[in-house]
C-alpha cells in the first residue's frame, strides 16, 4: 500500500458524495452489483472530526413539549450551543424558548397549529397578528428561518382542513411580505410519508392522486416562494412492518446487501435515502424539481413496550449516530448527490405525557437533567462516544491516539465481500483497490476488504460503531504494516 505521500490517499473529494401520524414504507428489492463509484481520502479523519465540530447547518433537532419535566429554556439553549446542532424545530411558537434562543445563531422553525389553520385561511388580519406576535416580536435576535403551517394535514381525513391549508400559508406569507421578511423567512407545511401512495421502488414515488390538485397548489406556492417540502421519513416504522435482520441493517445504515431500484438500477444501502428519494421522485414526477426537501422529523426510540419491535438503546444509537455520520459525509442520496438534506432529528427530549405506545415517549437524545441518553457525537467537545452501542456489541475502542479497523481472524470471504461492498458504497475511494490501482495487490477479497473497512472507519469520525461490521471487525492500536489472506489486518505502510 502506498505511503501517505501518494496522491491516491492524500486527496479527499467530498464534492461527489451526500410522532402524530407517521407512515412506514418498506422496500422489497434484491440483487445489485458492487458499488465503487465514490471518492474518499485516507488521511482526512482528523479533518472530518474537525468538520463534526464546526458548522453543520444541515443538522437540526425537534423540540417537543408534551411533557411536565423539561428543563428551563435557558438551560436548553446552553445545551444546544455545546453541540453541533444548528437548527431547532418547535411545534408551536413558545415565547420562552424563542427568547432563550436569541443571539445564539441557532435557526428556529416555529409552527402554527392545525387548529389555527381555519382562522389563518379566512382572516388576513389574524395571520398578520400571528406573525406580529410570534415572529416580529423576536426577529432578528431570534433567528426564525421557517414557519410550518399545520402538521401532517394532507394525510389526515379532514378534507375541509386540507382545502384551507394553502390559503392559510398564503396569508402567512403575505403577512411576512408586508413586514419585509418574505425573502428571509419561508412558509411551509409538514407531511407524513402517507402523502405517497407509491414508493416502491423510490423511482416510482408518487403522491396520492385523490389529493393531487391540492398538493399541486401547495407545491406551486412553494416553488414560487422558494420554501422547502417538509417530510417525516421514519425507517423505524419500515422495520416494524418488516422485522427481518436484513431490514434492520438496511434501516440502521449497517452493512447489508443493498436493494436495487428496478426503475433506474440504482443500488440503495439504507432506508433513509430510499424514503427521501421516493419523495424526490414524486416531486419530480409532478414537475417540481426545483422544490427542495427538508426532513422535518426522523428518529428511533431507545425504549418501548415489552412486545415492541425495534426500540433499544443499541438501535437508536446506531440509527441516529450513523444518520449523522451520513449527513456529515455530504454524500447525499442517489437522486440528490453531493449535498446533505437539512434533517431535524426527533427528538431533543422525551415527552413523558405523549399518548400511545411506550416508544412514543422514548425518542429523546437528552434527558431532563441535560445528560445524554446515548452519545451520537453531537457534542462540540468530543466526537468520540464514551459508551459505543450498535445493534450488536462493538469491539473495544483502544485508547491509543492512532487506531486501525481490521477484520477479525477467521471471517469468511463472503462476509468480507459484503463488508467491502458496503464500505465502498459509503463514500470512500475504492479506486486504489480496483485493477491497476496502487493497492490492488494482493488481489484478495480479504486484502481489499481490510483496506475499505479501515478507510470507512477513518473517514467517519473514528467512531467505534463504524468498526463493527456485524461483529466481524475490531480496532487495534498496533499498526498492521503487512497484510496476508491468512492473517487479516491492513497493509498501511
Amino acid at each position: 500500500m502506498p505511503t501517505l505521500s501518494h496522491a491516491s490517499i492524500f486527496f479527499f473529494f467530498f464534492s461527489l458524495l451526500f410522532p402524530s401520524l407517521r407512515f412506514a414504507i418498506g422496500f422489497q428489492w434484491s440483487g445489485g452489483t458492487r458499488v465503487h463509484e465514490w471518492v474518499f481520502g485516507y488521511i482526512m479523519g482528523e479533518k472530518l472530526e474537525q468538520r463534526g465540530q464546526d458548522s453543520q447547518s444541515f443538522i437540526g433537532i425537534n423540540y417537543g413539549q408534551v411533557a411536565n419535566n423539561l428543563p428551563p429554556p435557558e438551560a436548553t439553549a446552553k445545551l444546544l450551543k455545546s453541540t453541533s446542532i444548528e437548527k431547532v424545530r418547535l411545534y408551536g411558537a413558545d415565547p420562552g424558548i424563542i427568547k432563550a434562543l436569541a443571539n445564539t445563531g441557532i435557526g428556529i422553525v416555529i409552527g402554527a397549529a392545525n387548529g389555527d389553520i381555519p382562522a389563518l385561511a379566512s382572516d388576513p388580519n389574524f395571520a398578520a397578528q400571528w406573525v406580529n406576535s410570534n415572529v416580529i416580536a423576536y426577529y432578528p435576535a431570534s433567528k426564525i428561518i421557517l414557519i410550518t403551517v399545520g402538521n401532517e394535514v394532507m394525510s389526515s381525513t379532514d378534507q375541509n382542513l386540507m382545502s384551507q391549508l394553502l390559503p392559510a400559508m398564503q396569508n402567512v406569507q403575505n403577512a411576512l411580505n408586508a413586514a419585509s421578511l418574505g425573502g428571509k423567512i419561508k412558509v411551509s407545511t409538514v407531511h407524513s410519508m402517507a402523502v405517497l401512495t407509491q414508493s416502491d421502488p423510490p423511482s416510482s414515488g408518487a403522491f396520492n392522486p385523490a389529493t393531487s390538485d391540492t398538493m399541486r397548489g401547495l407545491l406551486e406556492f412553494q416553488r414560487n416562494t422558494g420554501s422547502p417540502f417538509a417530510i417525516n421519513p421514519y425507517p423505524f416504522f419500515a422495520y416494524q412492518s418488516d422485522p427481518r435482520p436484513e431490514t434492520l441493517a438496511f434501516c440502521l445504515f449497517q452493512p447489508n446487501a443493498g436493494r436495487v431500484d428496478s426503475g433506474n438500477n440504482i443500488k440503495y444501502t439504507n432506508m433513509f435515502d430510499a424514503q427521501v428519494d421516493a419523495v424526490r421522485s414524486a416531486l419530480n414526477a409532478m414537475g417540481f424539481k426545483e422544490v427542495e426537501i427538508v426532513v422535518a422529523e426522523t428518529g428511533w426510540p431507545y425504549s418501548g413496550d415489552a412486545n415492541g419491535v425495534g426500540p433499544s438503546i443499541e438501535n437508536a444509537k446506531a440509527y441516529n449516530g450513523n444518520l449523522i455520520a451520513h449527513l456529515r459525509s455530504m454524500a447525499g442520496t442517489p437522486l440528490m448527490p453531493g449535498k446533505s438534506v437539512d434533517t431535524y432529528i426527533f427528538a431533543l427530549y422525551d415527552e413523558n405525557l405523549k399518548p400511545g405506545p411506550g416508544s412514543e415517549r422514548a425518542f429523546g437524545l437528552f434527558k431532563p437533567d441535560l445528560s445524554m441518553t446515548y452519545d451520537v457525537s453531537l457534542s462540540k467537545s468530543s466526537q468520540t462516544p464514551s459508551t459505543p452501542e450498535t445493534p450488536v456489541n462493538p469491539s473495544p475502542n483502544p485508547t491509543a491516539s492512532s487506531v486501525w479497523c481490521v477484520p477479525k481472524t477467521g471471517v469468511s470471504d463472503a462476509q468480507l465481500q459484503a463488508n467491502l461492498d458496503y464500505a465502498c458504497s459509503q463514500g470512500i475511494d475504492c479506486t486504489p483497490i480496483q485493477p491497476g490501482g496502487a493497492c490492488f495487490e494482493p488481489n484478495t477479497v480479504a486484502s481489499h476488504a481490510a483496506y475499505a473497512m479501515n478507510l470507512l472507519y477513518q473517514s467517519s469520525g473514528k467512531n467505534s460503531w463504524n468498526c463493527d461490521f456485524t461483529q466481524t471487525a475490531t480496532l487495534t492500536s498496533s499498526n498492521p504494516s503487512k497484510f496476508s489472506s491468512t492473517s487479516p489486518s491492513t497493509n498501511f505502510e
Side-chain angles (χ1 to χ4, degrees):
M1 186 171 292
T3 64
L4 295 183
S5 62
H6 285 247
S8 62
I9 291 178
F10 183 82
F11 292 100
F12 187 89
F13 303 94
F14 264 129
S15 61
L16 298 180
L17 298 182
F18 180 31
S20 56
L21 175 68
R22 300 195 188 98
F23 186 77
I25 299 179
F27 299 89
Q28 305 298 326
W29 320 317
S30 62
T33 57
R34 290 175 61 174
V35 180
H36 291 306
E37 66 268 30
W38 304 97
V39 193
F40 166 81
Y42 166 60
I43 66 170
M44 299 302 290
E46 295 302 322
K47 294 292 186 182
L48 284 167
E49 288 187 297
Q50 183 61 41
R51 179 184 180 85
Q53 300 172 26
D54 294 337
S55 175
Q56 295 180 358
S57 62
F58 44 79
I59 297 179
I61 195 97
N62 284 271
Y63 188 169
Q65 296 175 265
V66 187
N68 60 6
N69 61 348
L70 298 180
E74 294 78 12
T76 296
K78 184 176 180 180
L79 170 66
L80 290 170
K81 288 175 65 177
S82 72
T83 72
S84 54
I85 296 169
E86 294 211 357
K87 296 177 180 178
V88 173
R89 178 189 170 208
L90 309 180
Y91 290 84
D94 186 288
I97 298 175
I98 298 174
K99 288 178 182 177
L101 292 172
N103 303 311
T104 62
I106 296 172
I108 307 169
V109 179
I110 62 173
N114 289 2
D116 290 330
I117 290 176
L120 289 171
S122 63
D123 187 355
N125 290 327
F126 180 86
Q129 181 180 358
W130 193 96
V131 168
N132 285 335
S133 299
N134 298 300
V135 179
I136 297 174
Y138 311 107
Y139 187 88
S142 296
K143 189 180 175 182
I144 298 170
I145 57 175
L146 179 67
I147 299 171
T148 58
V149 178
N151 189 50
E152 300 185 347
V153 173
M154 292 297 293
S155 53
S156 72
T157 58
D158 192 333
Q159 298 295 325
N160 188 46
L161 195 64
M162 289 186 200
S163 67
Q164 294 174 316
L165 181 56
L166 177 57
M169 293 169 64
Q170 290 171 328
N171 281 341
V172 171
Q173 182 68 55
N174 291 337
L176 289 172
N177 293 344
S180 300
L181 295 176
K184 300 175 181 178
I185 301 173
K186 304 299 183 181
V187 178
S188 186
T189 188
V190 178
H191 303 283
S192 79
M193 289 292 288
V195 296
L196 298 184
T197 55
Q198 181 70 31
S199 63
D200 176 11
S203 63
S204 68
F207 291 116
N208 187 347
T211 57
S212 61
D213 289 344
T214 302
M215 183 63 77
R216 183 175 297 278
L218 293 173
L219 292 174
E220 287 176 347
F221 166 84
Q222 295 191 262
R223 178 170 59 190
N224 293 336
T225 61
S227 74
F229 185 87
I231 190 73
N232 295 343
Y234 275 90
F236 167 67
F237 294 105
Y239 172 63
Q240 284 196 316
S241 69
D242 180 22
R244 296 176 297 161
E246 55 265 40
T247 303
L248 181 61
F250 190 65
C251 290
L252 296 182
F253 301 85
Q254 290 291 309
N256 63 90
R259 303 182 181 187
V260 174
D261 187 324
S262 59
N264 54 22
N265 206 36
I266 288 175
K267 183 176 182 179
Y268 285 84
T269 60
N270 67 82
M271 183 68 78
F272 177 84
D273 283 355
Q275 291 184 330
V276 172
D277 273 0
V279 176
R280 181 73 271 164
S281 295
L283 290 168
N284 293 353
M286 195 173 271
F288 293 95
K289 295 181 179 182
E290 313 94 327
V291 176
E292 298 276 347
I293 294 174
V294 162
V295 173
E297 281 184 30
T298 191
W300 198 287
Y302 65 85
S303 182
D305 299 327
N307 60 345
V309 176
S312 72
I313 285 281
E314 294 84 0
N315 290 348
K317 181 170 184 175
Y319 177 74
N320 287 317
N322 290 332
L323 169 63
I324 290 167
H326 182 52
L327 295 173
R328 285 172 174 163
S329 77
M330 301 300 290
T333 73
L335 296 186
M336 295 179 289
K339 64 177 181 178
S340 290
V341 174
D342 282 6
T343 299
Y344 293 78
I345 298 172
F346 189 87
L348 182 58
Y349 301 117
D350 290 344
E351 295 176 88
N352 66 334
L353 299 182
K354 293 195 78 167
S359 58
E360 287 292 315
R361 296 177 290 281
F363 277 85
L365 297 185
F366 294 90
K367 300 176 182 179
D369 65 2
L370 306 180
S371 65
M372 291 180 288
T373 307
Y374 50 86
D375 193 344
V376 289
S377 295
L378 284 173
S379 172
K380 289 180 180 178
S381 61
S382 173
Q383 292 291 298
T384 302
S386 56
T387 54
E389 298 284 355
T390 64
V392 291
N393 294 328
S395 305
N397 192 354
T399 57
S401 58
S402 295
V403 294
W404 292 263
C405 178
V406 300
K408 291 181 178 178
T409 302
V411 178
S412 68
D413 280 358
Q415 182 61 57
L416 289 172
Q417 182 68 61
N419 293 351
L420 171 60
D421 290 346
Y422 174 76
C424 287
S425 71
Q426 298 303 302
I428 63 173
D429 181 12
C430 287
T431 55
I433 54 176
Q434 296 299 296
C439 300
F440 181 66
E441 297 294 342
N443 181 19
T444 65
V445 65
S447 175
H448 294 171
Y451 176 91
M453 291 162 67
N454 186 66
L455 290 183
L456 179 60
Y457 167 74
Q458 299 292 341
S459 73
S460 302
K462 300 180 182 178
N463 298 307
S464 295
W465 64 73
N466 297 118
C467 185
D468 176 49
F469 292 94
T470 60
Q471 290 189 301
T472 63
T474 187
L475 292 174
T476 178
S477 58
S478 299
N479 186 350
S481 59
K482 293 293 181 182
F483 178 90
S484 70
S485 61
T486 59
S487 178
S489 60
T490 47
N491 178 20
F492 299 113
E493 294 182 307

